């Protein structure tokens, strides 16, 4: 399409061709263009001198004049068309100018909204990266896959640097692309986690509230060595009762859809029960007897007393509730935590045979049982909280592998202010808790030793 400027030049050229010569024209010379001009509307006006009436129409000059007249008429029509196109293009340019102004305003608005949106998204990604950063020292434990570890570390550092720069200059990187990179890295790290064996507790996050039900005291649990398809949940409210409720899944538990109810032959004591390999381990009320009960047969498979173990609120946790004997499991099997007079009321850790309930070995600690809020085992190490109330934290740990202890400072969020059950599930790598009538889950971060194919 020609521009208005080029069309104006063409118009001027055509007019110059039609400019009169200023010489006198004889009527005998036939049709002649005398003058030309342009009116106020931009149309071309030509003055033509007609020949005398007695000239022969067949004369050669007459024929040339007719041809000239036709050319002039054609040029007039072309100029008219050109003028219309010029006006239309001018209107189009005006319309485009208006649209460009609107688009410019919209772009400014989108840019402002984009900065606000990206700031929020990038903050979410940075928090996720902060959760992934503790895995850097984990990866450093690799013995044979050093090249892969270096690559992971470099990617984490690069992404962290990118996030920091983007927070300073929003818009320097595409959010969706960055999000996909983080997800990809997270997937690769989770695959790496499958090689992990045991580790040391470094952090507790959460909680996630699964359900709100029951009284202040109670227990809920899943089987830590069940298959991945077996997600049954067991629910035992109160610190002494006989009724155990079973749910086929977490979803059924949330909706309250029971699959089965068990009536135990004896009342239990406390809230520190354990489901392990399809059986329920619990402390018989007003005794130091541990009972193993089969859900499949509805019968007691075994029972055994813990020698010298205190019971009936002699050495409970800080919240009371007949919590003298705490049964738990980790990657190494079944454990019992309690206190004895012989150990001055301090915590004793005993590893039990899960079939006969015999004590395999015991460790005597120096931490008073009545000063502990709760406790749980991870990889053969007992972790003890200093309270069951607000401000509780993991304050003490004892390693059965080295028979040594240390004081720790690992806080966690006691959202509902009163914890009466806290147990580790090695399959889920999570802490199950009963928090003032709320069933909640805590995530744990462990410092792992990674097992390679070359390890025995």
């Amino acid at each position: 399409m020609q521009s208005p400027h080029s069309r104006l030049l063409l118009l001027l050229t055509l007019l110059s061709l039609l400019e009169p010569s200023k010489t006198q024209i004889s009527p005998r010379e036939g049709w002649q263009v005398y003058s030309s001009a342009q009116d106020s509307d931009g149309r071309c006006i030509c003055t033509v001198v007609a020949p005398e009436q007695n000239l022969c129409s067949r004369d050669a000059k007459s024929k040339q004049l007719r041809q000239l007249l036709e050319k002039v008429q054609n040029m007039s029509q072309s100029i008219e068309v050109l003028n219309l196109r010029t006006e239309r293009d001018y209107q189009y340019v005006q319309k485009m100018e208006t649209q460009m102004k609107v688009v410019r305003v919209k772009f400014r608005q989108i840019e402002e909204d984009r900065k606000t949106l990206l700031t929020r998204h990038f903050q979410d990604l940075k928090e996720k990266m902060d959760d992934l950063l503790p895995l850097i020292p984990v990866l450093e434990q690799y013995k044979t896959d050093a090249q892969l570890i270096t690559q992971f570390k470099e990617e984490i550092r690069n992404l962290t640097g990118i996030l920091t720069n983007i927070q300073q200059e929003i818009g320097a990187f595409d959010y969706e692309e960055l999000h996909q990179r983080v997800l990809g890295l997270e997937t690769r790290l989770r695959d790496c986690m499958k090689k992990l064996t045991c580790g040391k507790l470094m952090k507790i996050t959460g909680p996630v509230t699964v359900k709100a039900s029951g009284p202040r005291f109670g227990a809920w649990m899943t089987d830590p060595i069940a298959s991945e398809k077996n997600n049954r949940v067991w629910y035992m409210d109160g610190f002494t009762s006989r009724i155990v409720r079973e749910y086929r899944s977490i979803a059924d538990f949330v909706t309250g859809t029971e699959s089965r109810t068990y009536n135990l032959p004896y009342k239990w004591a406390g809230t520190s029960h354990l489901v392990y390999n399809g059986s329920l381990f619990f402390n018989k009320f007003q005794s130091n007897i541990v009972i193993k009960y089969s859900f499949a047969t509805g019968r007691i498979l075994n029972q055994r007393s813990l020698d010298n173990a205190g019971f009936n609120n002699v050495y409970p946790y800080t919240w009371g509730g007949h919590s003298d004997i705490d049964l738990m499991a980790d990657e190494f099997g079944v454990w019992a935590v309690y206190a004895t007079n012989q150990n001055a009321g301090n915590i004793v850790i005993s590893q039990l045979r899960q079939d006969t309930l015999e004590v395999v070995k015991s460790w005597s600690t120096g931490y008073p049982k009545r000063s502990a809020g709760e406790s749980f085992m991870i990889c053969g190490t007992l972790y003890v909280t200093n309270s069951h109330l607000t401000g509780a934290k993991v304050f003490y740990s004892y390693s059965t592998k080295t028979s040594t202890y240390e004081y720790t400072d690992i806080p966690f969020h006691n959202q509902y202010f009163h914890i009466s059950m806290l147990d580790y599930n090695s399959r889920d790598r999570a802490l199950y808790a009963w928090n003032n009538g709320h069933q909640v889950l805590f995530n744990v971060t462990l410092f792992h030793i990674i097992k390679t194919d070359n390890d025995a």
Side-chain angles (χ1 to χ4, degrees):
M1 180 180 293
Q2 294 177 324
S3 65
H5 180 67
S6 63
R7 289 175 182 169
L8 182 58
L9 291 176
L10 176 59
L11 179 60
L12 293 173
T13 303
L14 290 173
L15 292 175
S16 65
L17 292 173
L18 297 175
E19 189 69 25
S21 61
K22 302 299 182 181
T23 59
Q24 190 68 27
I25 298 177
S26 172
R28 294 183 178 272
E29 294 179 358
W31 291 90
Q32 296 289 333
V33 177
Y34 177 72
S35 65
S36 64
Q38 187 176 11
D39 65 5
S40 60
D41 295 329
R43 292 175 296 184
C44 180
I45 301 174
C46 298
T47 302
V48 180
V49 178
E52 293 181 354
Q53 297 293 328
N54 57 357
L55 288 179
C56 179
S57 61
R58 295 179 182 179
D59 185 78
K61 288 187 176 181
S62 177
K63 184 178 180 180
Q64 291 177 356
L65 288 173
R66 284 198 303 271
Q67 292 176 348
L68 179 60
L69 178 61
E70 291 175 358
K71 291 181 180 180
V72 172
Q73 291 175 343
N74 291 337
M75 286 190 293
S76 297
Q77 293 175 357
S78 299
I79 293 171
E80 183 69 22
V81 172
L82 181 61
N83 181 62
L84 292 175
R85 289 182 179 179
T86 303
E87 291 181 357
R88 184 184 62 186
D89 289 347
Y90 179 69
Q91 294 174 356
Y92 177 77
V93 170
Q94 286 182 321
K95 182 178 179 182
M96 288 300 298
E97 182 181 9
T98 303
Q99 291 179 347
M100 287 297 295
K101 291 180 179 179
V102 174
V103 170
R104 186 180 296 109
V105 173
K106 288 185 178 180
F107 266 118
R108 290 176 181 172
Q109 183 178 359
I110 290 173
E111 181 67 18
E112 294 176 358
D113 294 343
R114 176 172 172 267
K115 289 182 178 180
T116 302
L117 182 63
L118 287 179
T119 299
R120 183 171 68 253
H121 285 321
F122 288 134
Q123 183 62 34
D124 293 340
L125 285 177
K126 193 171 189 307
E127 292 177 358
K128 181 170 286 189
M129 289 303 304
D130 290 341
D131 293 337
L132 293 176
L133 286 177
L135 292 175
I136 291 179
V138 173
L139 296 174
E140 291 176 350
Q141 299 298 314
Y142 259 116
K143 297 179 181 179
T144 60
D145 216 353
Q147 184 176 0
L148 180 61
I149 295 172
T150 303
Q151 180 182 353
F152 282 174
K153 290 170 58 179
E154 194 63 29
E155 288 189 29
I156 291 175
R157 291 194 179 99
N158 289 342
L159 286 175
T160 304
I162 289 172
L163 286 170
T164 302
N165 293 336
I166 290 175
Q167 281 190 320
Q168 297 173 355
E169 298 180 15
I170 295 297
F173 202 89
D174 181 69
Y175 166 75
E176 288 299 330
E177 182 182 350
L178 182 62
H179 182 62
Q180 291 302 319
R181 289 182 64 183
V182 171
L183 291 179
L185 179 60
E186 186 176 16
T187 300
R188 293 165 66 187
L189 289 174
R190 294 297 174 245
D191 291 339
C192 173
M193 290 285 287
K194 294 179 180 179
K195 297 182 179 180
L196 302 179
T197 54
C198 272
K200 179 180 179 180
L201 180 65
M202 303 296 292
K203 184 179 180 181
I204 300 175
T205 57
V208 175
T209 301
V210 177
K211 188 177 181 179
S213 66
R216 171 172 286 193
F217 313 102
W220 72 295
M221 66 214 80
T222 60
D223 192 335
I225 63 172
S227 65
E228 292 184 1
K229 295 182 179 180
N230 184 352
N231 294 306
R232 287 184 295 174
V233 177
W234 289 271
Y235 178 88
M236 303 166 67
D237 57 347
F239 56 76
T240 176
S241 179
R242 292 185 181 183
I243 304 301
V244 181
R245 295 178 175 84
E246 180 182 291
Y247 303 85
R248 294 187 185 278
S249 65
I250 290 286
D252 284 353
F253 174 61
V254 172
T255 59
T257 307
E258 295 181 21
S259 61
R260 190 171 177 182
T261 300
Y262 302 89
N263 193 348
L264 302 178
Y266 303 105
K267 288 184 177 182
W268 68 68
T271 60
S272 302
H273 324 300
L274 169 68
V275 174
Y276 192 86
N277 197 22
S279 296
L280 173 66
F281 296 73
F282 67 95
N283 174 213
K284 182 181 178 181
F285 186 59
Q286 293 183 334
S287 76
N288 60 6
I289 296 174
V290 176
I291 294 178
K292 180 181 180 181
Y293 173 85
S294 171
F295 285 127
T297 64
R299 296 180 180 179
I300 293 177
L301 298 180
N302 220 321
Q303 56 182 321
R304 186 178 297 274
S305 64
L306 292 171
D307 293 341
N308 303 314
F311 61 93
N312 202 24
N313 274 332
V314 174
Y315 296 120
Y317 288 127
T318 54
W319 59 271
H322 297 271
S323 56
D324 302 75
I325 298 175
D326 192 347
L327 301 172
M328 57 189 72
D330 68 354
E331 292 81 356
F332 297 153
V334 177
W335 304 81
V337 173
Y338 52 94
T340 65
N341 290 333
Q342 289 77 3
N343 197 37
N346 295 323
I347 290 177
V348 175
I349 307 169
S350 292
Q351 188 172 19
L352 307 180
R353 288 179 57 94
Q354 67 102 2
D355 52 352
T356 65
L357 302 180
E358 292 178 318
V359 174
V360 178
K361 186 177 180 180
S362 294
W363 293 261
S364 297
T365 76
Y367 197 91
K369 176 74 162 52
R370 296 178 67 91
S371 297
E374 271 291 342
S375 68
F376 51 91
M377 295 287 293
I378 298 180
C379 297
T381 297
L382 180 71
Y383 295 93
V384 182
T385 69
N386 62 343
S387 174
H388 64 283
L389 301 174
T390 302
K393 61 183 178 180
V394 177
F395 183 72
Y396 176 90
S397 67
Y398 186 94
S399 170
T400 60
K401 182 178 181 180
T402 61
S403 298
T404 59
Y405 71 91
E406 65 175 323
Y407 288 97
T408 61
D409 187 7
I410 305 176
F412 60 94
H413 183 39
N414 189 349
Q415 185 170 355
Y416 303 107
F417 318 117
H418 189 285
I419 292 179
S420 60
M421 170 248 176
L422 188 64
D423 282 320
Y424 174 69
N425 186 296
S426 57
R427 184 186 71 169
D428 300 336
R429 290 186 178 174
L431 294 174
Y432 282 64
W434 190 288
N435 195 339
N436 203 8
H438 296 78
Q439 294 73 51
V440 304
L441 290 172
F442 292 93
N443 291 319
V444 296
T445 299
L446 305 179
F447 180 88
H448 290 278
I449 302 298
I450 300 177
K451 185 177 181 180
T452 65
D453 295 335
N454 294 332
D455 292 336

